[in-house]
């Protein structure tokens, strides 16, 4: 196998609850951009937490760089994987640059102070995410979009081959959404990073990602090239909602249709959930 | 602070704070119920020189004690606030105060009268009670599941309330003179200590502050939550256990020396954080020094305000500390953007 992330027969359930993920297998090649989508409660975030070692699999295995996940220590895993979670704001007001510098904690903890190398890496991460001009501001004074870029900068400053993100565009407006995806695409292309993101933005995933995974609430799992996974019928099935589709240029887009939507187009017969 | 901390900047600030501490210590050693002159103090034979006796045997040890206790409480208060991610946290939040109080009460009611390294049974029992309670709360907190801050805090609050009730019970059945001794202890009280006790305590607290400094990059990362810190490569379980143990030990040392002096451990780290920012590499050493300055000054006031009688220093820290802290809060919190 050649994947940088290899998952085999992964099964996981929280206690007192039936399995959330059942028998999932997939492989991510280095330098791939993978989007994981699916309805609430389908286990997207759970899968992400399993991949970064926060949760332990009930059964099955995860390998990072061909070594089993459990063979990594907290410190060595942090050299392979950086994680961007949904913006947790600390109680005390750290500035942007202090926040990003924390990605280097592992390297400078022994002496207590960052080296020139650490500072250079942080500087690059700030430049790349376009956050350098407000580096001195406290985190609490930033807008949601700015703050999300700071957390991505911190993940980049960790200098890992793999980047995991949990809904990086939630609460962001259209411009900031594409801004984040452009940034991730740049990291993928310029730095060769392997990126796995959980998202509800199917259309952004379709535009930017190479691979896609649709996790269903019924523990189904579709995985493959984005074009093959993100299809009208499959999205309808997994989300249990009627979906209209349209193309702009070569790109196919998907729009969910509610019962009372204005100017609702007629639905095709193949829809499994049509009323 | 907005710019990242550099070793030089930190060294300069610590040095400046230390100079200020020495100045305050020197000034406070000259102030007291009886005015003394340094020239006479060091002029004659020690045995017949009252100025020398007051200076060396009374004021200097007491000022050193205030430095040790103030530094220990302020530094460990900063650590508890970081670990519990709670601005209301102070060194006593996990039951140390009531545990120490119960220990002291048991020693008084039990009528014990031996000494250990020159310490009275009150101090020894308070020390053991403090550490035993932290251990108990920590264990209960762990039983509430995968390390749960809320579980730990609630365990601390409940154990505190329970032990306070036991203290009140013992107070109601104890003799009046015993009660007076304990109440005075509970209010926080400085007395003159032997130099040997001071050096041991200073060694413990100094080593604790240095050790905590080397944990502070990890404490910074922990401010962003357990999961984030771990993804950044911080061994959160080990960091938390070490920081907790050191802070609890420092607090127990302070409590066994001087009783329950409130407020220092809550407001000094907040004050330093408001002025200098939340970076623990700077926050912890500066809090320690600021706590020492604050307590030396407060204890000097406690000595002179109603001289020749003395106030419990805990009363002074709360009465001066409260308004001073509120001023800082109003002045700086907007700039820091805390409450967004």
């Amino acid at each position: 196998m050649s994947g940088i992330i290899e998952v085999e027969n992964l099964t996981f359930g929280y206690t007192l609850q039936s399995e959330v993920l059942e028998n999932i297998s997939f492989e991510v090649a280095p330098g791939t951009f993978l989007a994981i989508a699916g309805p609430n409660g389908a286990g997207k975030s759970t899968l992400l937490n399993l991949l970064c070692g926060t949760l332990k699999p009930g059964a099955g295995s995860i390998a990072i760089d061909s070594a089993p996940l459990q063979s990594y220590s907290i410190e060595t895993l942090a050299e392979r994987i950086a994680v961007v979670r949904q913006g947790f704001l600390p109680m005390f007001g750290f500035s942007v640059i202090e926040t990003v510098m924390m990605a280097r904690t592992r390297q400078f903890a022994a002496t207590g102070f960052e080296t020139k190398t650490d500072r250079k890496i942080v500087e690059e991460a700030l430049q790349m995410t376009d956050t350098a001009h407000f580096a001195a501001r406290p985190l609490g004074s930033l807008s949601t979009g700015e703050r999300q870029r700071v957390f991505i900068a911190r993940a980049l400053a960790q200098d890992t081959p793999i980047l995991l993100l949990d809904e990086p565009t939630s609460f962001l407006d259209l411009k900031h959404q594409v801004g984040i995806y452009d940034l991730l695409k740049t990291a993928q292309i310029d730095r060769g990073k392997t990126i796995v993101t959980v998202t509800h933005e199917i259309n952004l995933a379709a535009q930017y990602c190479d691979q896609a995974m649709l996790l269903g609430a019924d523990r189904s799992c579709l995985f493959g090239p984005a074009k093959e996974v993100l299809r009208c019928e499959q999205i309808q099935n997994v989300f249990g909602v009627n979906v209209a589709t349209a193309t702009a240029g070569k790109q196919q887009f998907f729009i969910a249709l509610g019962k009372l939507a204005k100017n609702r187009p007629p639905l095709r017969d193949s829809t499994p959930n049509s009323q | 602070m907005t710019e990242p901390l550099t070793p030089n900047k930190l060294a300069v600030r610590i040095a400046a704070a230390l100079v200020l501490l020495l100045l305050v210590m020197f000034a406070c050693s000259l102030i007291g119920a009886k005015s003394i002159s340094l020239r006479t103090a060091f002029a004659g034979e020690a045995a017949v020189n009252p100025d020398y006796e007051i200076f060396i045997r009374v004021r200097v040890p007491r000022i050193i004690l205030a430095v040790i206790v103030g530094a220990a409480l302020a530094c460990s208060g900063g650590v508890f606030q970081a670990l519990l991610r709670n601005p209301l946290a102070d060194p006593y939040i996990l039951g140390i105060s009531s545990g120490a109080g119960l220990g002291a009460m048991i020693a008084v009611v039990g009528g014990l009268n031996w000494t250990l390294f020159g310490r009275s049974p009150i101090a020894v029992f308070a020390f053991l009670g403090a550490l035993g309670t932290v251990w108990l709360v920590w264990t209960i907190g762990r039983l509430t599941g995968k390390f749960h801050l809320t579980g730990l805090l609630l365990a601390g609050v409940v154990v505190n309330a329970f032990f306070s009730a036991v203290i009140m019970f013992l107070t109601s059945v104890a003799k009046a003179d015993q009660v007076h001794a304990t109440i005075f202890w509970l209010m926080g009280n400085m007395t003159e200590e032997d130099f040997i006790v001071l050096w041991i305590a200073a060694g413990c607290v100094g080593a604790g502050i240095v050790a905590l400094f080397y944990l502070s990059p990890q404490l910074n990362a922990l401010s962003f939550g357990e999961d984030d810190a771990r993804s950044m490569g911080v061994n959160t379980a080990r960091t938390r256990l070490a920081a907790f143990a050191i802070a609890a030990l420092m607090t127990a040392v302070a409590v066994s020396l001087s009783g329950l002096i409130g407020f220092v451990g809550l407001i000094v780290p907040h004050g330093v954080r408001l002025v200098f920012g939340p970076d623990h590499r700077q926050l912890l050493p500066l809090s320690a020094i600021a706590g020492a300055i604050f307590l030396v000054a407060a204890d000097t006031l406690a000595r002179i305000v109603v001289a020749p009688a003395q106030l419990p220093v805990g009363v002074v820290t709360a009465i001066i500390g409260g308004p001073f802290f509120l001023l800082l809060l109003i002045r700086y919190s907007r700039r820091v953007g805390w409450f967004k």
Side-chain angles (χ1 to χ4, degrees), chain B residues 193-210:
Chain B
E193 298 284 350
D194 291 339
F195 274 103
I196 178 71
V197 173
L198 292 179
W199 296 139
I200 293 172
C204 290
V205 171
I209 294 170
V210 171

Side-chain angles (χ1 to χ4, degrees), chain B residues 46 52-62 192-193 195:
Chain B
Y52 177 87
E53 284 294 309
I54 290 175
F55 188 75
I56 292 297
R57 303 244 177 271
V58 179
R59 292 207 185 144
V60 168
R62 184 154 170 168
E192 295 71 33
E193 298 284 350
F195 274 103

